[in-house]
Amino acid sequence: FDFMHTIYKAPQASLLDNIKADLLEGRSVRLQAKGWSMLPMIWNERDTLVLAPISREQLKVGMIVFAQTGSGRYIIHRIARIVGTRIELRGDGNPYQEEYVHPQTVFGELIEVQQKNRCLRKGDWRWRAYALLWPKNGNIRRILLFFYRRLFLR
């Protein structure tokens, strides 16, 4: 991978198209997080995300990917399930909402989250803890998110 990043801030549709193009050309990309759908791992506008190109053969459950939905919206969410050519994505901060994409609409993988005073990298113990310990049960996740938002997002 070419790790000379282009840094994108305030993702908008045209910028996200550029991010997609960079990933398809084999370049990694750095962008500012927008949205709360990946709480508690990723914080809106505080964190910087690093995306790397990915091949369809590498896709597996648990990966956090940059994809485009059927409606044309771009998202960075975790792969919850893969059934044939249909991939179910879910944000860690979304207890119930899911999006479905196809392998050809997944363009990159999240490999690093640069937070205020630390850096999470794919494969480190904190990254694995988010993937393994964050409950898959929507009801439990909803309750934990309620308390998390009350404690940390005030």
Side-chain angles (χ1 to χ4, degrees):
F1 300 126
D2 175 4
F3 282 99
M4 295 303 293
H5 307 292
T6 302
I7 299 175
Y8 293 98
K9 291 197 178 218
Q12 300 163 349
S14 61
L15 291 178
L16 293 169
D17 287 336
N18 290 340
I19 290 169
K20 171 182 160 182
D22 282 350
L23 290 166
L24 288 172
E25 291 174 11
R27 290 189 294 273
S28 63
V29 177
R30 196 181 292 256
L31 70 147
Q32 185 177 30
K34 285 296 221 182
W36 296 102
S37 66
M38 285 299 292
L39 268 180
M41 185 173 174
I42 300 171
W43 282 46
N44 179 47
E45 295 184 356
R46 180 197 71 181
D47 298 341
T48 299
L49 312 178
V50 178
L51 300 171
I54 188 169
S55 69
R56 294 180 187 120
E57 296 78 30
Q58 294 173 298
L59 297 174
K60 59 185 173 192
V61 172
M63 294 176 104
I64 301 172
V65 296
F66 173 75
Q68 189 172 21
T69 65
S71 66
R73 192 168 64 98
Y74 291 99
I75 56 175
I76 297 174
H77 283 171
R78 192 179 302 277
I79 297 177
R81 271 193 312 191
I82 300 174
V83 180
T85 60
R86 190 171 149 154
I87 300 171
E88 178 186 324
L89 301 178
R90 183 176 300 137
D92 289 358
N94 291 337
Y96 301 108
Q97 184 180 351
E98 7 184 90
E99 288 90 9
Y100 295 92
V101 297
H102 295 283
Q104 63 269 24
T105 62
V106 176
F107 306 108
E109 175 187 14
L110 182 67
I111 59 167
E112 187 174 292
V113 179
Q114 297 168 353
Q115 299 174 329
K116 191 163 67 172
N117 58 358
R118 66 179 176 191
C119 186
L120 292 174
R121 288 188 178 86
K122 180 183 174 191
D124 74 17
W125 70 270
R126 287 175 296 183
W127 190 285
R128 289 191 310 273
Y130 281 115
L132 297 173
L133 300 177
W134 197 243
K136 294 180 182 179
N137 181 303
N139 291 323
I140 294 171
R141 186 188 304 197
R142 194 182 92 215
I143 293 165
L144 291 175
L145 282 168
F146 172 81
F147 288 110
Y148 187 86
R149 287 182 175 122
R150 292 262 188 240
L151 292 171
F152 298 108
L153 297 182
R154 292 186 161 230

